Amino acid sequence: MCGIVGYVGKSQAAPILLDGLSKLEYRGYDSAGVAVYSDDHIEVVKTKGRLKVLSDMLDGGKNLPGTVGIGHTRWATHGEPSDVNSHPHMSGDGRFAVVHNGIIENYLVLKNRLIEKGFHFVSETDTEVIAHLVEYYYKGDIMDTMRSLLNAMEGSYALGIIRADKPDEIVAVRKDSPLIVGLSDEGNFIASDIPALLNYTRDIYHLDEKEIVILRQDGVSIYNMDGEPVNKKVFHVDWDVSAAEKGGYEHFMIKEIMEQPKALADTLKPRIQDGRVVLDDIKLTAEDLKDIHKIDIVACGSAYHTGVVGKYVIEELTRKPVEVDLASEFRYRSPILDQHTLVIIISQSGETADTLAALRYAKAQGARTLSIVNVVGSSIANQSDDVLYTWAGPEIAVATTKAYSCQLGVLYLLALYIGDLLGTIPADVYRDYVAELLVLPDKIQSILEHKEDIQYFASRNFGAKDVFFIGRNVDYALTLEGSLKLKEISYIHSEAYAAGELKHGTISLIEDGTLVVAVATLDRLFDKTMSNVKEVKARGAYVLGLTTENNRKIEQSCDFVFYIPETLDLLLPSLAVIPLQIFSYYMALMKGCDIDKPRNLAKSVTVE
């Protein structure tokens, strides 16, 4: 959640901070602010509302001189969105300014101690505690101060700090919240994510847990908690700046929907060599897998939905039992884990707080862990026994599309890889799956070429108050994602149900004009799903049917139909998700919603 940018260098800081923060707006925020060392003191300017309000106050940063500063876009957790609760926060003596992503879980205990020592608080935030703690601990040695600070705080944080007695430095640290360091000849940077820095540098450091960074114009020093220097490998960002820009599209979301054929090809094709799935990045052997008795998939949101599809895929191809858990619930049900369990962690950012906590819990129980993430060097990637990157490229829209597709692609590869090692997939079936995976991107492209059909349907139905998605087997797993997409960007109430469960209560919600999306791509369950469609039609529902090109008889039961190409049953979700994404996009567009930045949502959820 939120965004941090910091700069120290030769140029004026404020315009760079504002530009960097604008590239992080997708993360979600309700206020913004900057702190710059200017005219022998730290000047803080912050305001509730969009970044444009702050930029207008500063004339794009021109009227706030100074070459070192920190900036922040805040998403309210402690205290309502307001000017005073916005970041940066100042210490009582005005010597320190702090920006913070995350949550300090013991802030009330710390706050009460500081109040007893005479410190005065002006905001409701946990972050102001950090500013006062820095002042309290500082005795002239910033490294001693940071060690004392980190030992005192419990929770998650990424911090950027500037100080009046050392105006040519930024101090930063991270724990369970993303923060990177950018390197250039013109100065050095901190940021929550790569897009903030692409206009200035492609060379970055990925920080590990509790590494303390001191940035100056001419260099960067990194230390561990013992004060020992840490040597880091420079990571060079090789994707184009245009990947983080709209490129002529009205929204990032539709751009990223249209990018899915390439993103999925980038994920799949390098890992298929001479007709076989090759996963050189992981160390799981056949002997390891034979010793695995159970697989747990753990994730949040859309990543969880890929896991639900993955359960069907992995169980069928490997014959290993699979459980799927929401990461926010995983630790609290005392799951049965041991060295015979493989826990698959899925997260686009690699920093999702609940998912990271679930990973650590699984490792503590002795389970083998494998993560599927998009961000190289992220916390989840670094702390897993094995990692598979999705190579989806940057995803800016809050509502995920191409990350979902690439996560699903990796799950297919993993299931084939495991099944091949275990000998649970017949050779001809294996060949068929590999061949179909290679043509999936082209089939997705063919669906995208008919997106106007879904646009037309949305134009006739965007006034719907409730939408119900139904399906069976992997179709049901897919409807979970279709429903989430619709509700998160259009604010239309929607629910996904297993079609066979309609008579167990849900059908009571169907009345004249209720919109139902029926996904019926599986030939072997097509007639079953159509019987459920007839049930809702008999009660007045208006039905959008989604099926494959050979099931034309669906037109007898549904009011509008969208067809997808044929493929193997377990791969159908990769195709069927595309029209559901497009449907959600155009429903939100017709309603005039803020599609890339839906209300109350953030791209990377780094707090519980």
Side-chain angles (χ1 to χ4, degrees):
M1 284 177 138
C2 314
I4 287 174
V5 178
Y7 170 76
V8 53
K10 301 175 183 178
S11 302
Q12 189 171 343
I16 293 173
L17 299 177
L18 292 171
D19 177 65
L21 291 175
S22 73
K23 303 302 190 296
L24 299 179
E25 286 188 285
Y26 70 89
R27 298 173 71 85
Y29 70 103
D30 49 44
S31 56
V34 296
V36 173
Y37 184 81
S38 179
D39 297 329
D40 299 324
H41 71 287
I42 297 174
E43 182 76 22
V44 173
V45 182
K46 55 185 183 177
T47 182
K48 175 185 174 182
R50 287 299 184 190
L51 188 63
K52 186 180 184 304
V53 179
L54 178 67
S55 182
D56 289 345
M57 291 170 64
L58 295 173
D59 190 19
K62 296 175 185 176
N63 61 12
L64 183 56
T67 60
V68 59
I70 49 178
H72 191 264
T73 48
R74 175 184 186 250
W75 190 259
T77 53
H78 295 76
E80 65 180 5
S82 68
D83 292 353
V84 71
N85 286 333
S86 304
H87 297 208
H89 286 282
M90 294 286 292
S91 61
D93 60 7
R95 288 188 297 163
F96 304 95
V98 176
V99 290
H100 163 227
N101 287 350
I103 286 182
I104 306 304
E105 295 173 356
N106 62 334
Y107 88 100
L108 275 177
V109 173
L110 296 172
K111 183 175 182 177
N112 288 333
R113 289 177 186 169
L114 288 166
I115 290 172
E116 290 174 0
K117 296 179 182 299
F119 286 85
H120 174 66
F121 286 79
V122 297
S123 78
E124 304 167 88
T125 69
D126 55 341
T127 303
E128 190 182 359
V129 169
I130 302 171
H132 292 313
L133 277 176
V134 173
E135 176 188 339
Y136 175 71
Y137 287 127
Y138 186 67
K139 302 294 186 291
D141 187 323
I142 193 62
M143 286 298 298
D144 285 345
T145 302
M146 295 302 292
R147 281 194 292 270
S148 297
L149 180 69
L150 300 190
N151 286 328
M153 295 189 304
E154 299 172 5
S156 63
Y157 45 82
L159 305 180
I161 303 169
I162 59 174
R163 47 195 176 124
D165 69 340
K166 202 70 172 175
D168 58 345
E169 290 183 355
I170 297 175
V171 182
V173 67
R174 61 151 295 190
K175 175 183 175 291
D176 297 341
S177 191
L179 196 68
I180 59 174
V181 175
L183 312 168
S184 82
D185 293 336
E186 297 300 311
N188 295 297
F189 308 81
I190 55 171
S192 296
D193 204 356
I194 290 171
L197 304 184
L198 280 181
N199 285 340
Y200 311 100
T201 182
R202 290 176 172 275
D203 293 326
I204 67 171
Y205 290 140
H206 288 289
L207 296 181
D208 291 322
E209 295 288 278
K210 292 190 175 181
E211 287 183 338
I212 302 166
V213 188
I214 298 178
L215 298 90
R216 304 176 186 86
Q217 175 185 308
D218 57 356
V220 171
S221 301
I222 303 177
Y223 304 92
N224 62 23
M225 280 284 286
D226 295 325
E228 300 166 337
V230 175
N231 293 320
K232 306 289 288 186
K233 182 179 179 180
V234 175
F235 175 78
H236 184 75
V237 179
D238 56 8
W239 38 269
D240 193 83
V241 175
S242 63
E245 302 293 343
K246 290 180 183 175
Y249 288 95
E250 187 173 356
H251 298 96
F252 278 110
M253 184 178 179
I254 190 63
K255 173 178 179 281
E256 289 157 5
I257 288 173
M258 299 301 290
E259 288 174 343
Q260 285 176 109
K262 181 182 184 304
L264 187 58
D266 289 345
T267 295
L268 295 176
K269 292 185 177 181
R271 290 160 167 153
I272 298 175
Q273 300 172 16
D274 299 323
R276 306 209 68 77
V277 173
V278 178
L279 301 180
D280 291 334
D281 297 335
I282 67 173
K283 302 180 286 291
L284 280 170
T285 66
E287 290 304 313
D288 292 332
L289 290 166
K290 288 174 183 175
D291 199 41
I292 295 296
H293 300 166
K294 178 182 70 128
I295 297 172
D296 279 282
I297 300 176
V298 183
C300 296
S302 292
Y304 168 77
H305 296 157
T306 66
V308 179
V309 176
K311 171 182 170 67
Y312 290 94
V313 176
I314 294 172
E315 285 191 337
E316 182 161 331
L317 296 181
T318 73
R319 307 316 297 158
K320 294 282 187 182
V322 179
E323 296 181 13
V324 189
D325 275 276
L326 290 163
S328 57
E329 292 292 322
F330 183 65
R331 291 173 292 153
Y332 306 118
R333 71 171 180 85
S334 299
I336 300 170
L337 305 172
D338 56 26
Q339 70 271 24
H340 303 295
T341 308
L342 173 64
V343 177
I344 300 173
I345 300 288
I346 309 175
S347 168
Q348 186 273 334
S349 68
E351 303 290 350
T352 312
D354 287 314
T355 312
L356 179 58
L359 166 66
R360 290 171 175 166
Y361 179 87
K363 287 178 71 69
Q365 302 302 308
R368 180 75 177 252
T369 58
L370 183 152
S371 65
I372 298 172
V373 300
N374 191 42
V375 180
V376 176
S378 57
S379 295
I380 289 173
N382 288 343
Q383 295 178 41
S384 299
D385 296 318
D386 289 291
V387 58
L388 286 170
Y389 290 107
T390 53
W391 300 335
E395 188 176 66
I396 306 302
V398 167
T400 183
T401 52
K402 65 177 181 176
Y404 175 95
S405 289
C406 291
Q407 288 166 354
L408 204 51
V410 171
L411 284 169
Y412 291 141
L413 291 171
L414 185 60
L416 287 170
Y417 179 82
I418 294 173
D420 185 36
L421 287 178
L422 294 176
T424 55
I425 308 176
D428 59 333
V429 174
Y430 184 91
R431 285 194 300 270
D432 288 345
Y433 271 102
V434 169
E436 275 300 303
L437 282 177
L438 289 172
V439 297
L440 272 184
D442 293 334
K443 292 185 176 182
I444 290 175
Q445 184 61 46
S446 72
I447 296 170
L448 293 172
E449 290 169 359
H450 295 90
K451 68 180 186 300
E452 290 77 11
D453 294 342
I454 292 291
Q455 181 179 9
Y456 170 76
F457 181 82
S459 72
R460 303 290 299 271
N461 292 279
F462 68 90
K465 302 299 183 186
D466 303 281
V467 180
F468 296 99
F469 292 74
I470 60 172
R472 291 171 178 263
N473 198 267
V474 291
D475 287 339
Y476 164 62
L478 176 65
T479 63
L480 296 170
E481 177 63 9
S483 176
L484 176 62
K485 278 289 140 308
L486 182 65
K487 70 182 71 170
E488 66 183 344
I489 64 169
S490 74
Y491 316 139
I492 295 172
H493 168 256
S494 68
E495 301 292 342
Y497 294 100
E501 289 295 296
L502 281 171
K503 286 186 175 179
H504 296 276
T506 309
I507 203 165
S508 65
L509 299 173
I510 304 299
E511 55 189 13
D512 280 345
T514 300
L515 180 55
V516 174
V517 179
V519 183
T521 66
L522 296 171
D523 288 347
R524 60 191 171 89
L525 293 174
F526 180 83
D527 290 337
K528 293 282 190 183
T529 304
M530 286 305 100
S531 70
N532 300 126
V533 168
K534 291 172 184 176
E535 289 172 352
V536 297
K537 284 287 292 178
R539 290 155 178 82
Y542 186 76
V543 181
L544 165 63
L546 176 60
T547 190
T548 53
E549 292 166 346
N550 70 332
N551 281 323
R552 297 285 167 171
K553 60 182 179 180
I554 194 175
E555 295 174 12
Q556 301 170 11
S557 304
C558 296
D559 298 286
F560 189 93
V561 180
F562 190 89
Y563 295 100
I564 62 173
E566 299 287 337
T567 190
L568 297 170
D569 282 2
L570 292 177
L571 304 185
L572 283 164
S574 278
L575 302 181
V577 73
I578 307 301
L580 297 185
Q581 294 169 349
I582 296 168
F583 171 63
S584 299
Y585 173 78
Y586 282 117
M587 291 284 276
L589 183 66
M590 301 295 175
K591 289 188 65 182
C593 298
D594 191 349
I595 292 173
D596 287 337
K597 300 186 286 290
R599 69 190 182 202
N600 302 332
L601 298 180
K603 184 66 176 174
S604 178
V605 183
T606 57
V607 296
E608 284 196 68

